[in-house]
């Protein structure tokens, strides 16, 4: 069992995000599910980003100095977005933007110090305007529910520890 620590949180979250996307991709392919254009969100890109998820999370970790708990809370926000929408799920076309937006919200809610959206947008590889839009859309998707109870946080930490 791997324990989530300050030094490995980004690695464990990277693995969990990749696993999540793969499960949804398998579901989408097995059901031949196609998302109608009117149901696309601001998180969807027209093509799969060239940078892989592991490299992307490494990049975020290198430049965005946040507490390890923010990675776990970002996953909770992603789960909330998926649970509250009947037609939204992580794919290779949206996970990069979704992860960055959820991490930015977690950092702003939990950490005492954070950067501007201009900085986060450069790390994410999007414009500042787009970063602002992603943040606003995710807030709406999770009904502005940023608080995570200690029990829910502990449950996610334990589940992440069991994944690897």
């Amino acid at each position: 069992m791997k324990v989530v620590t300050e030094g490995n949180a980004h690695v464990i979250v990277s693995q969990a995000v990749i696993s999540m996307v793969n499960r949804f991709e398998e579901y989408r392919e097995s059901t031949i599910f196609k998302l109608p254009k009117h149901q696309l969100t601001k998180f969807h890109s027209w093509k799969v980003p060239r940078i892989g998820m592991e490299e992307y999370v490494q990049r975020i970790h290198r430049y965005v100095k946040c507490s390890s708990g923010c990675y776990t809370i970002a996953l909770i926000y992603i789960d909330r977005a998926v649970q509250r929408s009947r037609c939204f799920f992580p794919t290779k076309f949206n996970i990069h933007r979704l992860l960055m937006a959820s991490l930015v919200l977690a950092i702003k809610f939990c950490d005492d110090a954070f950067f501007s959206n201009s900085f986060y947008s450069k790390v994410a590889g999007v414009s500042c305007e787009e970063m602002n839009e992603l943040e606003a859309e995710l807030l709406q998707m999770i009904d502005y529910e940023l608080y995570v109870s200690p029990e829910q946080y502990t449950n996610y930490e334990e589940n992440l520890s069991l994944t690897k």
Side-chain angles (χ1 to χ4, degrees):
M1 177 165 87
K2 202 168 216 176
V3 178
V4 179
T5 65
E6 284 293 326
N8 72 355
H10 67 287
V11 173
I12 291 173
V13 167
S14 172
Q15 294 164 348
V17 167
I18 291 167
S19 174
M20 179 190 311
V21 169
N22 289 339
R23 281 194 314 272
F24 280 108
E25 286 289 320
E26 288 169 11
Y27 168 76
R28 187 178 62 85
E29 290 170 8
S30 70
T31 60
I32 313 173
F33 180 74
K34 300 270 188 216
L35 194 62
K37 286 184 181 179
H38 72 276
Q39 291 181 344
L40 293 176
T41 67
K42 294 186 184 311
F43 298 101
H44 291 86
S45 65
W46 293 108
K47 58 184 178 177
V48 175
R50 287 181 283 172
I51 186 170
M53 185 49 59
E54 287 185 39
E55 294 87 2
Y56 190 66
V57 173
Q58 285 288 345
R59 174 182 171 80
I60 293 169
H61 181 68
R62 184 177 329 120
Y63 294 108
V64 178
K65 306 297 183 197
C66 64
S67 63
S68 64
C70 289
Y71 290 99
T72 302
I73 291 172
L75 284 179
I76 293 170
Y77 292 165
I78 291 171
D79 275 352
R80 284 180 183 171
V82 171
Q83 290 168 4
R84 293 177 183 180
S85 174
R86 292 181 309 206
C87 58
F88 179 78
F89 52 90
T91 69
K92 295 173 185 172
F93 292 90
N94 66 18
I95 192 60
H96 291 73
R97 292 174 178 163
L98 180 60
L99 177 63
M100 189 62 182
S102 63
L103 190 58
V104 167
L105 287 180
I107 292 167
K108 289 180 176 182
F109 190 73
C110 299
D111 286 357
D112 291 333
F114 55 86
F115 296 103
S116 67
N117 276 12
S118 175
F119 175 81
Y120 292 128
S121 69
K122 290 175 183 154
V123 175
V126 298
S127 70
C128 186
E129 180 181 349
E130 187 173 6
M131 188 75 243
N132 294 337
E133 291 172 357
L134 294 173
E135 186 177 7
E137 180 145 348
L138 184 58
L139 280 167
Q140 287 181 334
M141 291 172 78
I142 65 172
D143 298 325
Y144 295 85
E145 187 183 338
L146 297 173
Y147 175 74
V148 174
S149 72
E151 297 80 19
Q152 185 178 29
Y153 180 86
T154 300
N155 184 39
Y156 270 77
E157 284 270 304
E158 289 171 358
N159 286 330
L160 285 173
S161 295
L162 294 174
T163 60
K164 252 322 189 185

